[in-house]
Amino acid sequence: MNRPQHSGAKRADARRNRERLLAAARHLLAEQGMAASLEAVARQAGVGIGTLYRHFPTREALVEALYRDELDALLEASTRLSATLPPDEALAQFMHHSLDYMATKRGLGDSLRQLMQARPELLEAAQASFPGTVSRLVQEGIAAGRIRPDAEAEDVLQALAGLYSAPVGPDWRRRAGRVLTLLMDGLRTLPQAGGMPSA
């Protein structure tokens, strides 16, 4: 009778360990890039190296899991933001969330590029979902009169690509946030004297 509860507890522990490992990897890779060791990831997560290898037998497996986790979290955030915020604020918050995604991708560096070459379906998944999400958020903002009608998703995607390609430095995140704030100021409609929005 107790076996299902015991099995369920073990599965819950395993999920928590996996989440801790991914959180630790995200933090260390964003700070140190691929110089971060798997031992450091396990230590930061508060688990043994054996636990790490049970979840992620290779560094490549950890890189793939972290990349998928970041992309899934970003796409889930877009849905949550659309449901709880005005469309322009949803777009703004989504772009700021995307900085975390970028920081993780930059931290993964060559390992992610090599993984993408070996597993092109990962890149295809991102290319299929991310631009569509940006397009949806922009169109929702235009339809609500909160985003200027001549705005295009490609404008936002090009700006984000520029931020991703910017030189690495300790000030990157702060400056990227400032650029996104300026971008949103340009994307939002402005109220006219008669109360109607204007680009």
Side-chain angles (χ1 to χ4, degrees):
M1 294 293 293
N2 292 330
R3 188 172 300 167
Q5 292 181 349
H6 180 65
S7 177
K10 288 181 67 174
R11 286 195 298 271
D13 285 343
R15 283 195 299 271
R16 283 193 293 271
N17 285 338
R18 187 179 187 277
E19 290 168 1
R20 284 199 291 263
L21 286 163
L22 287 173
R26 185 179 299 112
H27 173 75
L28 289 173
L29 291 171
E31 280 193 348
Q32 304 174 21
M34 293 311 290
S37 69
L38 295 182
E39 289 79 7
V41 171
R43 189 164 53 249
Q44 174 95 5
V47 302
I49 190 66
T51 298
L52 184 147
Y53 282 122
R54 278 195 295 276
H55 287 278
F56 309 110
T58 64
R59 180 179 285 269
E60 290 72 23
L62 176 61
V63 168
E64 179 178 348
L66 186 56
Y67 175 73
R68 286 183 181 276
D69 189 67
E70 285 292 294
L71 180 59
D72 289 346
L74 185 62
L75 298 179
E76 288 170 8
S78 75
T79 302
R80 184 179 68 254
L81 293 167
S82 290
T84 57
L85 295 174
D88 57 324
E89 284 300 323
L91 176 61
Q93 290 298 316
F94 175 80
M95 290 196 296
H96 281 279
H97 277 295
S98 73
L99 295 182
D100 294 330
Y101 175 62
M102 291 183 203
T104 298
K105 285 183 65 178
R106 289 166 68 124
L108 295 174
D110 289 338
S111 288
L112 181 58
R113 283 187 285 274
Q114 292 168 10
L115 179 64
M116 293 295 191
Q117 290 173 358
R119 302 280 304 280
E121 67 272 16
L122 295 177
L123 180 59
E124 291 167 5
Q127 290 175 335
S129 56
F130 187 81
T133 298
V134 171
S135 179
R136 174 179 63 78
L137 292 169
V138 170
Q139 290 304 314
E140 287 174 355
I142 292 173
R146 309 277 297 214
I147 299 293
R148 52 190 296 166
D150 61 339
E152 298 179 359
E154 288 75 12
D155 302 331
V156 176
L157 291 168
Q158 187 164 346
L160 291 174
L163 291 176
Y164 179 70
S165 303
V168 178
D171 206 29
W172 174 81
R173 181 59 186 267
R174 184 185 68 83
R175 288 202 171 277
R178 281 173 49 83
V179 170
L180 290 184
T181 298
L182 293 171
L183 175 62
M184 280 306 306
D185 286 346
L187 287 171
R188 284 188 171 99
T189 55
L190 299 175
Q192 290 182 328
M196 296 295 293
S198 172

